[in-house]
Amino acid sequence: MAVHSIYFPDLGPIPGGIVTIGGEEAHHAVRVKRLAAGDTARLCNGRGLIALARIVDSRKVRAEWQVGLDVMEVAEVAPLRPRLTVLGAAPKGERLEAMVEGLSQVGAAAWAPLASQHTVVEPKQGKLDRLARIVVESMKQCGRAWLLETQELVEFGAALSRAEQIVLADASGVPYRRTGAAAVSLLIGPEGGWSEHELAAARGAGVLVARFGVHTMRTETAAVVAAAVVMESEREAG
Amino acid sequence: MAVHSIYFPDLGPIPGGIVTIGGEEAHHAVRVKRLAAGDTARLCNGRGLIALARIVDSRKVRAEWQVGLDVMEVAEVAPLRPRLTVLGAAPKGERLEAMVEGLSQVGAAAWAPLASQHTVVEPKQGKLDRLARIVVESMKQCGRAWLLETQELVEFGAALSRAEQIVLADASGVPYRRTGAAAVSLLIGPEGGWSEHELAAARGAGVLVARFGVHTMRTETAAVVAAAVVMESEREAG
């Protein structure tokens, strides 16, 4: 059985102290996972710090569970290379959540909604709050040390002028090949596809247009599959 | 706007005749897509035949819509190479459906539930019926010419002795490299992972143990991502 992971944003780099966690994470550890004094847990701050900690006590303070932990060991985990930012249309309903969870698992660093000609959907605040919970749960489940960042809407034109390797996914492109870039922006088209104007602008800007399969994928499948292929291809010789 | 696709299992290789479709496909074409005489549609039989057809008439016979089409052109599309069969645990609920839809989009040829030590879940008939509809819808949507086959439960031991390139996905493996095989069986572990016994058996049988990312993926994400990486890697030099 894997050690239980607890998200603790305030985790510092120095071991040896006692920290107290509360809220949903403490409730889950005590009431669902049944952790008690003496048990070991893994703390992560979502920004590269991972700690092994031993539970020293748990108590209910008013309506809230609190868990005290002795931080035994702290390690700093470097972000994955390349730093991959996926920019794409937000699919509807649960498909956005599935996409973000998938991107987290394959090691993307960030996701941002992209405003393109065939889509301008920007996730509402309630949806973003749900995504924030999903990236925490996914980080704990898949063993990431860094939270997947969800960023603000990016306009298509601005996406083309980002100062890093830009890859636009489209059936008209070439199979993806390793670029060696330290940072990659991966642009995923909406269900309706890119407009001719967008494709021309991308090619004009010298963007790498790549395809990631022979069939038409739903946008959330395309995002996760293309992100995985980029991460795996870049890792090969890395 | 893409030409509407209609699944018609009885499509034959010879153009020139009039065919009649009924059932859900006819209802959808007439009532949802509003196709009428003179419109063009794409017929596919799910086994490699694709036809361009023109609607000659539509009529309601008792409670059922029927559409007559003039088959103008028939093409035969070869199956993708390699022929990829994914064997893995059936995740619960809608995650099985999402997985099968993803496998269809990335070009797997077949999926079969795999009985391993940490899982023996076999999808029930109702679930299999729903999967059958999903593979048809996905074929039409993503432009496949072949239906993803859903096959019967395979025991782990039998999976290891299949007469083709066998790839077992596990974090302990090497990054996937092109094998050049014409047919690949890809074994995906359940949420609980492979047992030590299973890993030893696989290595003993000379199976290629490969990893497809640095994080722990949910089984349905692992299946789709690994299938995509295999298909893309094998296509590279193909």
Side-chain angles (χ1 to χ4, degrees), chain A residues 101 105 211 218 235, chain B residues 101 105 142 211 218 235:
Chain A
E101 198 184 345
Q105 293 172 65
R211 65 188 159 91
R218 299 184 76 132
R235 195 165 55 86
Chain B
E101 198 184 344
Q105 293 172 66
C142 76
R211 64 188 158 90
R218 299 184 77 134
R235 195 165 54 87

Side-chain angles (χ1 to χ4, degrees), chain B residues 196-228:
Chain B
E196 285 307 314
H197 177 78
E198 285 165 343
L199 280 175
R203 292 188 192 278
V207 158
L208 169 59
V209 179
R211 64 188 158 90
F212 294 92
V214 299
H215 302 308
T216 307
M217 287 185 262
R218 299 184 77 134
T219 187
E220 72 274 15
T221 312
V224 175
V225 161

